[in-house]
Amino acid sequence: MGELYHACYRRLVAQVYAFTADLAEAQDVVQEAFARALSRPRRLTDVDNPEAWLRTVAINVVRRRWRRRQLLDTILRRDRPVLRLVEAAPGPERADLRDALAGLPVGYREVLVLHYFADLPVDEIAVLLGVAVGTVKSRLHRGRAALAARLGDYGDSPGEPTEATPAQPSPAQPPRAGTTEVTHA
């Protein structure tokens, strides 16, 4: 079990951190996943992919904590007035990936983290989250769009073309295959 811990602890913490945007919570969740593995009668000897099992447990722990936190927040809001319903969007000085991910809906954040940080294929994400493959694809597409909107032109440099302003081929370049060249007289 010690070898498994040293082999995948940091990777699991990084993946859970991308979900929670809270390093201490990510470490707690991964430690709880390892504690659950230790409490199993056969540890993880009967599991084909122990790291995937630990990741599944960690994700479920995060989800359970979020549900409990939402319930507590709902109960607390009944007793005190809501001061602010909408938080202001982060300014350019805070527009980094962690903050942008933290601002996404949980469903989008989960699939983005599992796909890009855990490097899982769509079908494995669907099984892990208990949703259809099409749902994962849709959330990936919408999550990327939401993430791009949150990051704005963070990665664009002044000389790079953006989607809004596509690059025009230079006159010296021949037109691409399958296109026709239109000249104006």
Side-chain angles (χ1 to χ4, degrees):
M1 185 60 85
E3 295 169 3
L4 177 64
Y5 181 85
H6 291 293
C8 63
Y9 174 79
R10 295 178 108 195
R11 193 169 38 248
L12 289 170
V13 167
Q15 294 164 7
V16 174
Y17 174 66
F19 269 8
T20 63
D22 183 345
L23 183 59
E25 184 174 6
Q27 291 169 334
D28 287 346
V29 166
V30 172
Q31 288 172 6
E32 186 172 334
F34 274 100
R36 288 184 184 190
L38 287 171
S39 69
R40 294 184 71 207
R42 294 163 128 206
R43 309 266 164 119
L44 294 178
T45 58
D46 59 334
V47 176
D48 291 335
N49 187 344
E51 185 173 349
W53 186 92
L54 289 163
R55 183 183 311 108
T56 301
V57 170
I59 289 169
N60 289 336
V61 169
V62 167
R63 287 175 151 182
R64 188 186 75 235
R65 287 182 177 190
W66 280 342
R67 281 191 300 267
R68 286 181 180 171
R69 212 171 290 136
Q70 278 183 322
L71 178 62
L72 181 63
D73 287 348
T74 302
I75 293 168
L76 291 175
R77 277 192 211 119
R78 289 181 195 160
D79 297 334
R80 61 188 164 119
V82 177
L83 299 176
R84 199 161 108 188
L85 291 176
V86 179
E87 187 173 326
E93 69 280 356
R94 291 185 50 220
D96 63 359
L97 183 59
R98 183 186 59 81
D99 290 338
L101 277 171
L104 294 179
V106 174
Y108 296 166
R109 188 178 339 146
E110 286 176 340
V111 296
L112 288 170
V113 168
L114 291 172
H115 189 67
Y116 292 107
F117 286 80
D119 204 25
L120 295 179
V122 171
D123 56 336
E124 283 185 37
I125 296 170
V127 171
L128 180 66
L129 297 178
V131 297
V133 171
T135 302
V136 173
K137 289 179 180 180
S138 173
R139 288 179 183 174
L140 271 174
H141 175 74
R142 291 177 181 160
R144 283 190 295 256
L147 192 60
R150 286 192 157 277
L151 292 174
D153 54 358
Y154 182 78
D156 295 341
S157 63
E160 290 181 10
T162 62
E163 285 188 32
T165 58
Q168 299 296 324
S170 66
Q173 293 177 339
R176 285 184 262 155
T179 62
T180 57
E181 186 173 347
V182 177
T183 57
H184 298 284

